[in-house]
Amino acid sequence: MKRLLILLSLLAVVAVVAPKSPKRLAFANGTVSDVSRHPEPVHTVQIRRGSNGDFAVQAKINGIAAPMVIDTGATSVVLTYETAKAVGVPLELLEYNVDVQTAGGQTKAARLWLDRMAIGKLVERSVQALVVPRGQMKTNLLGMSFLDRLDGFEVRADHLVMRGFQEPVDLRSDRRS
């Protein structure tokens, strides 16, 4: 009996002292540990520089293809009126009250949030964007409101490399019944 009590005591000590993985700790505590809050970059997209010197991509906005030019000088993603219409933006509800400077001069734009925007496997949700009135721009711009959400981006020779994060996993969904 004494040996059984000693064995049970040792097992209890090992269970308390043994290191636990961050996922197990988060599961046990019902919270996410610091390690799990900072996801590792997992997706990389490379874009080749075009003959005109621009980096052009085919984005998907709310599932609809939209050609874009990457513009690190643009504070926001900027959509043409035509693209905004194609991706289902309710244009009649927009207020054109944001001053913007385009290649064609100064104009007003409307602020909105895109539900989902993807460049390859890089996916962001609730991306701030601007829409310019019909005829004000010919090209959609992939600006900093998308690029700032990435782990990083850099130009290497004639390629722009963008690194993104894996979407967070809800650790509570791993519970077994």
Side-chain angles (χ1 to χ4, degrees):
M1 182 70 170
K2 189 175 181 180
R3 283 186 176 170
L4 182 60
L5 285 174
I6 292 172
L7 179 62
L8 288 174
S9 296
L10 283 174
L11 288 174
V13 169
V14 169
V16 170
V17 176
K20 295 180 177 142
S21 74
K23 280 187 178 181
R24 287 191 141 203
L25 282 172
F27 178 76
N29 296 335
T31 62
V32 178
S33 71
D34 285 339
V35 173
S36 297
R37 278 190 204 144
H38 303 289
E40 291 296 316
V42 293
H43 298 300
T44 302
V45 172
Q46 287 193 29
I47 300 143
R48 187 174 188 79
R49 187 188 309 265
S51 58
N52 62 357
D54 291 336
F55 292 101
V57 296
Q58 187 77 297
K60 282 204 170 186
I61 301 170
N62 300 338
I64 306 296
M68 304 192 92
V69 172
I70 296 173
D71 186 350
T72 58
T75 333
S76 182
V77 168
V78 183
L79 302 181
T80 65
Y81 180 91
E82 295 75 17
T83 298
K85 183 176 180 180
V87 301
V89 171
L91 298 171
E92 64 280 358
L93 301 177
L94 296 180
E95 288 185 44
Y96 292 89
N97 57 6
V98 179
D99 291 318
V100 293
Q101 184 68 39
T102 69
Q106 187 141 355
T107 190
K108 295 278 189 180
R111 187 177 316 278
L112 59 99
W113 280 260
L114 303 171
D115 291 335
R116 185 175 192 274
M117 186 168 180
I119 309 292
K121 290 188 176 199
L122 303 176
V123 178
E124 292 295 331
R125 298 184 187 282
S126 296
V127 177
Q128 184 179 355
L130 298 172
V131 176
V132 294
R134 185 188 310 258
Q136 293 295 309
M137 286 178 48
K138 295 179 181 176
T139 307
N140 300 301
L141 301 178
L142 182 66
M144 296 306 292
S145 62
F146 181 88
L147 297 171
D148 273 344
R149 294 170 167 227
L150 302 176
D151 178 47
F153 60 93
E154 62 186 327
V155 175
R156 292 185 188 165
D158 280 339
H159 287 85
L160 175 74
V161 179
M162 295 188 289
R163 293 178 310 279
F165 295 104
Q166 177 177 4
E167 290 191 54
V169 175
D170 183 3
L171 296 176
R172 289 172 285 178
S173 66
D174 290 344
R175 291 184 182 175
R176 300 187 202 281
S177 4

